[in-house]
Amino acid sequence: MTGFWDRLRGKGTGGQGADDPLRRLFGGYPVNLQPHQGPPESLRAAQQEEILAAFLRRREHRLAVLLEFLDGHGISAAPLLDAAGDGAAAAGAIDFWLNAALPRRAFSMVSGDPQPNPDLRAFIAGDRAADGGYYSFLDDLGLLEGEAIRRRDRRFDWAINQLPEQAELDSYGRICLIKPGTLDWPPLALDVPVHLLSVCHAKMAPNGDSTGHRFGELLAGALAGAFDPGGTAR
């Protein structure tokens, strides 16, 4: 069965597994193992709460893992966690590095981009044991941007998305950054790692990223009041 790494490098098109640049980049990244694996709909409520408890318990450790990794690539991400700062420069440095470091997918003369969309189901299933460095990096990168938002706007907090009106969404049953609703505005659930899965996947398109999305855009939106009625910045 063709896996994520095979699809990324284009199995059967001459790709070199041992020389896979994405694997080299994240192969040594500490894996983020969850207490339970499987798509959210397959997990009991108690299991989802255990995942959340482990997430909160490990939060500072996983942030330290990511900051050390980024520091090794010349990026100081700590300003993102300073509630008194805007973090824009740090977010921009991370996005610049992602653009430079993430490899392009192979281009097929027959099918074009062999993987136009990321493997969302594999990602949200939470299995980080095999080839889990890249997905674990995305988990932690989502935690970083989410924490940057939460520390600047305490209306947001981490919780399992159990909003009834979002029961059909992929984020339902997952840990999201959630802002309660008001009389004027519905509740909001940001699945930040999944957002960054799409952002980073687009950066690896054979012909380059044409989406305009970037790391830090959710933080910028929160600071600009994009998630509030009238767009009132806080």
Side-chain angles (χ1 to χ4, degrees):
M1 180 176 180
T2 303
F4 170 78
W5 298 105
D6 293 320
R7 291 195 302 274
L8 178 72
R9 61 181 177 264
K11 187 174 182 179
T13 60
Q16 298 296 318
D19 295 326
D20 185 344
L22 192 63
R23 178 173 284 173
R24 287 202 308 272
L25 185 59
F26 297 107
Y29 194 85
V31 173
N32 180 31
L33 293 176
Q34 296 182 175
H36 305 283
Q37 287 80 48
E41 64 270 17
S42 73
L43 302 176
R44 300 188 302 274
Q47 292 176 314
Q48 293 174 350
E49 290 300 327
E50 288 173 8
I51 292 174
L52 175 62
F55 170 86
L56 296 174
R57 186 172 62 252
R58 300 170 181 169
R59 175 168 40 181
E60 295 301 324
H61 169 68
R62 295 308 306 186
L63 287 170
V65 166
L66 178 62
L67 264 60
E68 181 178 4
F69 176 83
L70 293 173
D71 185 69
H73 291 279
I75 303 166
S76 175
L80 283 163
L81 299 176
D82 180 3
D86 62 19
I94 292 172
D95 192 67
F96 182 86
W97 178 80
L98 290 170
N99 285 328
L102 291 174
R104 298 281 179 86
R105 291 188 293 280
F107 181 80
S108 167
M109 296 299 293
V110 176
S111 60
D113 186 344
Q115 192 184 8
N117 300 308
D119 192 344
L120 176 62
R121 297 307 295 170
F123 183 73
I124 66 176
D127 183 1
R128 303 293 183 262
D131 287 329
Y134 175 55
Y135 281 174
S136 295
F137 169 77
L138 291 176
D139 287 336
D140 293 343
L141 198 63
L143 170 61
L144 176 63
E145 186 166 8
E147 276 294 292
I149 295 171
R150 187 188 71 84
R151 296 184 186 196
R152 289 163 175 79
D153 188 339
R154 291 293 180 168
R155 295 176 300 167
F156 286 91
D157 206 358
W158 299 105
I160 300 294
N161 182 6
Q162 297 176 330
L163 297 169
E165 60 270 37
Q166 298 192 6
E168 300 303 316
L169 300 182
D170 290 318
S171 64
Y172 189 76
R174 281 179 48 79
I175 298 171
C176 292
L177 193 64
I178 294 179
K179 179 171 69 68
T182 68
L183 293 176
D184 302 312
W185 202 248
L188 174 71
L190 299 175
D191 193 334
V192 194
V194 164
H195 166 72
L196 292 175
L197 172 71
S198 295
V199 169
C200 289
H201 193 79
K203 292 178 183 296
M204 294 186 284
N207 294 322
D209 181 11
S210 61
T211 68
H213 292 295
R214 70 189 191 282
F215 174 80
E217 66 182 328
L218 294 182
L219 172 61
L223 294 177
F227 306 131
D228 291 296
T232 304
R234 293 180 63 83

